[in-house]
Amino acid sequence: LSLSVEVPEAPIEVIGDPGLMVNILNNLVLNGIQATQEGLSPVISIRVRVEDARVILAIQDNGTGIPDEIKD
């Protein structure tokens, strides 16, 4: 597993339920790991930035993605 995390040095305040945020992050990372093709090592990237007083959380992985037939 390769995991990279990029966050601003200054603390960021987010209003919300901390437990739900942890669950969301755990689910996204686990989904990325589980969706990795057999024989490949999972690569997960988590980036956090602030834009216009909003927190942007970006998670990227090398998983197979959502099949076209089930996308909306």
Side-chain angles (χ1 to χ4, degrees):
L1 170 66
S2 173
L3 176 65
S4 66
V5 179
E6 296 176 32
V7 296
E9 289 187 30
I12 300 171
E13 183 176 344
V14 177
I15 299 171
D17 184 314
L20 288 177
M21 287 298 298
V22 168
N23 286 344
I24 290 167
L25 290 171
N26 283 339
N27 286 339
L28 290 170
V29 170
L30 183 59
N31 288 348
I33 292 169
Q34 292 174 339
T36 303
Q37 290 180 341
E38 190 172 333
L40 293 178
S41 180
V43 177
I44 310 288
S45 171
I46 301 172
R47 290 185 303 265
V48 178
R49 68 182 191 279
V50 178
E51 280 185 16
D52 301 323
R54 293 179 185 236
V55 177
I56 308 297
L57 170 65
I59 300 178
Q60 186 174 16
D61 62 59
N62 65 334
T64 56
I66 301 171
D68 288 336
E69 61 269 10
I70 64 172
K71 289 182 183 176
D72 286 334

